Amino acid sequence: MSTEPSQLVDEPGRGFTTDAAAAARVSPSLYNPDLAPIRREGRRWSAYNIFTLWANDVHSLGNYSFAIGLFALGLGGWQILLVLGLGGAFLFLLLSLSGFMGEKTGVPFPVMSRISFGIRGAQIPAVIRGAVAIAWFGIQTYLASVVLRILIVALAPSAATLDTNSVLGLSTLGWISFVALWVVQVIIVSYGMEMIRKYEAFAGPVILITMVALAIWMLSSADWSIAWTTPDSLTGVDMWLQIVGGASLWVAIYGTFVLNFCDFTRNATSKRAIVAGNFWGIPLNMLVFGGIVVTLAGAQFRIDGRIIEAPADIVKEVPNTLDVSGEPIAVASTH
């Protein structure tokens, strides 16, 4: 059931809401403060905020594991950069167009999807999106908990006694790390989009600086020289098929983000802010991400011929516990 236009009243910073009489006849699943359009006067996401959104999301442990895996699959340094460059260019186009919808209407994905699926049908993609988000939340939290577990053992060696058993695939220390990060993230998210904006504005630069510092440390450990390829590197048609496949998978990773980017850009101050934030945060930031990946994987291979699986493998090798304590414990990014 919907309300008449005359029953809508302006609510500063949010958009529109219903008066008391109309509210009694409106289903809260169809209209509530979270689904209401946001007025332009209440929007605070600048180009910098959109950039830091990507700085946090791209530089996640899950993405590093994926990109380093390309090295293990036989792609060299320039091929990995090409994979991420092609994927980044395509994502920049898709996410800019998707972001414009949120900036123009001020409504989130569950409301936007009603255009295609109808009022009730829109609940289906919303539920599917939620299931994917839960899966990503768990994956990213687990990967971050691995780094936290290593950090704890490095700073408090006696904690290693809690890391010898296995309960449903994780040690006692592993479960403590996982649950601790899970709780921290839930607390941050529970305060809403404004808290997420503030957190990412702080965490984005910290993650970038930390990962660049780790790459420089690895480069110095490899005598400022890295291996751009492995003996099993692909060539010819197989190489190009892997490049196209890798770029496609990189885009697929952000498939749900392409759909629900309006959840964030409904808070954007302008289309210019979306384009600028996306430009610095997607193609350029992804190339920086690729450079870090190539440096980490290539330096480790140069040192001992070993192909790492994730940054956690390198964190284990950091000899100084002060340096380890500075490693990023990535907050899970729920695409």
Side-chain angles (χ1 to χ4, degrees), residues 42-322:
R43 301 181 185 185
R44 303 186 62 183
W45 284 61
S46 64
Y48 174 76
N49 295 126
I50 294 173
F51 162 73
T52 56
L53 168 68
W54 296 119
N56 281 274
D57 194 87
V58 172
H59 295 268
S60 68
L61 295 177
N63 285 350
Y64 273 103
S65 297
F66 165 80
I68 290 173
L70 296 175
F71 193 77
L73 290 175
L75 293 184
W78 72 266
Q79 291 103 325
I80 292 176
L81 292 175
L82 182 58
V83 166
L84 299 176
L86 289 174
F90 195 47
L91 284 169
F92 171 72
L93 175 62
L94 290 177
L95 286 159
S96 293
L97 293 175
S98 175
F100 291 163
M101 295 190 300
E103 188 274 339
K104 182 176 182 178
T105 63
V107 299
F109 170 74
V111 176
M112 190 72 70
S113 60
R114 294 176 187 175
I115 298 172
S116 300
F117 296 94
I119 294 176
R120 297 301 178 187
Q123 296 176 359
I124 297 175
V127 170
I128 295 175
R129 187 273 302 262
V132 173
I134 292 172
W136 266 112
F137 184 87
I139 293 169
Q140 296 279 34
T141 303
Y142 164 72
L143 292 172
S145 72
V146 172
V147 179
L148 178 58
R149 178 171 56 82
I150 295 171
L151 185 152
I152 292 173
V153 172
L155 296 179
S158 59
T161 57
L162 300 174
D163 201 30
T164 57
N165 62 331
S166 179
V167 180
L168 297 177
L170 292 178
S171 65
T172 299
L173 183 60
W175 277 110
I176 292 174
S177 302
F178 181 87
V179 173
L181 286 175
W182 187 91
V183 170
V184 169
Q185 294 171 99
V186 169
I187 291 174
I188 293 174
V189 173
S190 68
Y191 282 93
M193 292 297 294
E194 181 62 15
M195 176 59 74
I196 292 175
R197 183 184 72 85
K198 293 179 179 179
Y199 170 78
E200 291 187 335
F202 165 78
V206 171
I207 292 175
L208 272 172
I209 293 171
T210 304
M211 294 308 298
V212 169
L214 181 62
I216 293 174
W217 179 80
M218 279 296 295
L219 191 59
S220 66
S221 300
D223 294 327
W224 306 101
S225 176
I226 65 173
W228 281 87
T229 61
T230 67
D232 299 324
S233 293
L234 300 175
T235 59
V237 175
D238 290 338
M239 177 192 73
W240 286 106
L241 288 175
Q242 195 68 264
I243 288 174
V244 173
S248 300
L249 286 173
W250 188 237
V251 173
I253 287 174
Y254 287 90
T256 54
F257 226 146
V258 172
L259 292 176
N260 66 7
F261 191 37
C262 58
D263 285 349
F264 300 91
T265 57
R266 65 191 293 231
N267 297 281
T269 56
S270 65
K271 286 185 174 65
R272 184 186 297 271
I274 294 173
V275 172
N278 279 354
F279 177 73
W280 289 99
I282 301 178
L284 293 185
N285 180 42
M286 286 182 178
L287 286 177
V288 172
F289 165 80
I292 294 173
V293 167
V294 170
T295 301
L296 295 179
Q300 187 64 62
F301 194 80
R302 173 72 69 185
I303 292 171
D304 58 11
R306 180 165 59 96
I307 297 178
I308 60 174
E309 297 179 358
D313 296 339
I314 294 176
V315 174
K316 294 178 184 178
E317 308 298 328
V318 179
N320 191 313
T321 56
L322 179 62

